[in-house]
Amino acid sequence: MKENTLYARIVMVLLAVNVAFTGYVVYRLNDTTQEQIDSVSQTPSPTSGSQATTRTDGTTPTATEERTTDEIVPTDN
């Protein structure tokens, strides 16, 4: 009995194309993700509005000291 191997050859070619295409997609996604990570890590972090504002003489105003809840003393009114 002679078996037809044409179908098996077509399946093997399609499988090879599928593996190659999947490898390419994974490579490109990894490259794109790495570019996004690099661009985020190179961007300076945003500062608060009071520190980012410069005065006309070129100096930045000093930040005010903030109190935590355990430092606040209730006052009798």
Side-chain angles (χ1 to χ4, degrees):
M1 230 167 122
K2 185 177 180 183
E3 296 181 15
N4 191 357
T5 59
L6 179 63
Y7 293 118
R9 289 180 184 178
I10 291 173
V11 167
M12 292 302 290
V13 168
L14 288 175
L15 187 62
V17 169
N18 186 14
V19 168
F21 181 70
T22 303
Y24 173 75
V25 168
V26 169
Y27 173 76
R28 291 300 298 165
L29 284 174
N30 186 32
D31 193 32
T32 303
T33 305
Q34 189 62 41
E35 287 176 5
Q36 290 176 348
I37 291 171
D38 291 342
S39 68
V40 168
S41 64
Q42 291 175 356
T43 305
S45 62
T47 58
S48 67
S50 64
Q51 292 176 346
T53 308
T54 56
R55 296 182 184 156
T56 56
D57 60 355
T59 61
T60 57
T62 57
T64 59
E65 184 177 329
E66 295 182 16
R67 291 185 172 188
T68 61
T69 55
D70 30 338
E71 294 177 344
I72 298 175
V73 179
T75 58
D76 296 328
N77 289 336

